[in-house]
Amino acid sequence: MKAMYGVFKIWSDREGKFIVAKGVFTRNFARLLLSLLAKQKDYTPSAGGLAGEEVTLVDKNGNSRGANIVGTCYDNIDVQNYATVPSSLSIAGHNRGFTLARKLYMAIGNGTNAPSPDDHALGNELMQIPLTSNQEIDNDTNTIIKFTGSASPSEDITITEAGVFANIITSRGRYINSIAYAEVLLDRATFSAKSFSAGETINAEYSITLE
């Protein structure tokens, strides 16, 4: 692999409203890759499991939060002090993967500061667009991972920036619905201003290309 980069596309069906911008990955994104790729360590409080390297992320409010990529685990054991999986989620009573992110969304705003790896939030967020579909595209020279979604603003807006956020597990909980999450910025871009009207459907696509 020679390069990896993220691209934002935002548009509506109305003429002239199409945005394409290359993003800047944040240090949060790099640290999540570290946790994913670093050697997993055993974590066996009562049975057995695996957890990735713990990293410190900065959430959208500027708070430092500990997190890690979880591998597999058995029923009802605490994995790296971040989550206990209820037996109702077991597959044949044993191992299963544990999701990294509860949701992924694109936020759009009207901030104008140039993107930086140290960014943890937009300059001024106006709305969020859930990215509810995903696709892998394999070509001869690259692989593209694509996420898409759409939403409508409740009022007229003009946007100049976009960012992709993930909700990352950051604290232990007895059940899935009691686990704490942090909204973490992974990539951000700025672009020339475009305006959208209240109720207008805004389509969003975020892709990561590996080539």
Side-chain angles (χ1 to χ4, degrees):
M1 186 179 73
K2 297 181 293 184
M4 180 172 68
Y5 53 88
V7 173
F8 294 80
K9 293 182 181 179
I10 305 167
W11 73 95
S12 81
D13 293 334
R14 300 184 184 179
E15 185 177 355
K17 296 187 178 181
F18 192 85
I19 298 164
V20 179
K22 190 173 180 178
V24 173
F25 289 126
T26 65
R27 302 197 196 284
N28 284 329
F29 184 85
R31 289 166 185 163
L32 286 171
L33 284 180
L34 170 63
S35 183
L36 176 65
L37 298 174
K39 180 181 181 297
Q40 289 186 324
K41 49 193 175 185
D42 294 333
Y43 185 74
T44 56
S46 59
L50 293 171
E53 184 73 20
E54 183 176 342
V55 294
T56 299
L57 307 175
V58 180
D59 68 19
K60 68 187 305 181
N61 296 315
N63 301 311
S64 295
R65 308 286 292 274
N68 66 335
I69 304 293
V70 176
T72 58
C73 59
Y74 293 100
D75 292 342
N76 292 319
I77 68 163
D78 186 1
V79 179
Q80 197 69 2
N81 292 320
Y82 289 113
T84 301
V85 181
S87 58
S88 60
L89 292 186
S90 67
I91 299 175
H94 291 299
N95 305 323
R96 62 224 168 248
F98 198 90
T99 185
L100 163 66
R102 187 182 184 195
K103 70 175 182 178
L104 193 71
Y105 67 88
M106 183 184 296
I108 53 179
N110 58 12
T112 56
N113 288 342
S116 164
D118 291 314
D119 287 343
H120 59 265
L122 297 190
N124 185 43
E125 183 177 313
L126 296 177
M127 66 174 287
Q128 297 177 6
I129 304 173
L131 299 175
T132 56
S133 299
N134 60 79
Q135 181 184 13
E136 177 184 333
I137 303 170
D138 296 318
N139 302 306
D140 290 340
T141 58
N142 62 31
T143 295
I144 301 171
I145 304 169
K146 185 183 296 185
F147 305 90
T148 57
S150 62
S152 300
S154 58
E155 59 184 9
D156 295 351
I157 60 172
T158 298
I159 64 172
T160 54
E161 63 174 339
V164 167
F165 289 81
N167 274 17
I168 304 298
I169 298 166
T170 59
S171 66
R172 75 188 287 178
R174 174 63 180 167
Y175 298 106
I176 292 296
N177 61 6
S178 65
I179 297 169
Y181 297 84
E183 295 179 89
V184 175
L185 178 64
L186 306 180
D187 198 356
R188 177 172 174 261
T190 55
F191 39 80
S192 298
K194 292 287 184 182
S195 297
F196 297 88
S197 302
E200 183 176 357
T201 299
I202 301 176
N203 302 295
E205 176 186 298
Y206 176 69
S207 62
I208 297 176
T209 298
L210 300 91
E211 62 182 23

